[in-house]
Structure formats: C-alpha cells, structure tokens
Amino acid sequence: MALTYTWKIKSLKRASNPLVDFDGIIVQTYWDCVGTDADGNSGTFSGATPFDPEQVEPTNFTAYEDLTEAMVLEWI
C-alpha cells in the first residue's frame, strides 16, 4: 500500500549574521510530514531542521520576505 506524503512548514526561526551583514537568515525550521494511505489513514511526524548561518552564500541569499514554502522545503 503506497503512502502519499504532504510536507508543511510550521514555523521558521531567523537570526542575523554580522559576518555577511544579512538580517533574517533562517537558522531553524519546524515542520510536519503527514503520510496518508489509500484508505485515508494518516500519521503525522513533526520535526525540525537546523541551518548554520555561517554557511549562507551572499550570492545565493534570499530575503526572508521573499521566501516561499517550496524553497524552504527544498532546503530540508
């Protein structure tokens, strides 16, 4: 029986990195992953994924207000 997974970002924690002069760097994500089978039975796993603010590449930085849920889910 196959499961269908649905991911949802619950919240983000952000911080500053004075080394690269950015404000609003995501340092932690909190998320849910719901698995549902063909009969409609489901289970939820809640988790968190940390990120190191010193790993932010200045040329790849996206401002907090421009982030989408899809972008953040790709990081996870």
Side-chain angles (χ1 to χ4, degrees):
M1 187 177 285
L3 293 175
T4 301
Y5 294 99
T6 305
W7 290 76
K8 179 73 178 161
I9 301 295
K10 293 177 12 182
S11 65
L12 302 172
K13 182 178 178 181
R14 55 187 176 162
S16 298
N17 183 346
L19 297 176
V20 290
D21 197 31
F22 288 137
D23 188 33
I25 295 172
I26 303 304
V27 294
Q28 183 82 32
T29 62
Y30 300 93
W31 47 265
D32 284 340
C33 180
V34 179
T36 306
D37 69 15
D39 295 328
N41 300 307
S42 65
T44 302
F45 181 79
S46 297
T49 303
F51 298 105
D52 182 354
E54 293 184 14
Q55 298 297 315
V56 172
E57 297 177 22
T59 57
N60 247 355
F61 181 74
T62 301
Y64 180 82
E65 57 273 2
D66 295 330
L67 292 175
T68 65
E69 185 172 39
M71 291 168 108
V72 176
L73 288 172
E74 283 182 32
W75 301 344
I76 296 170

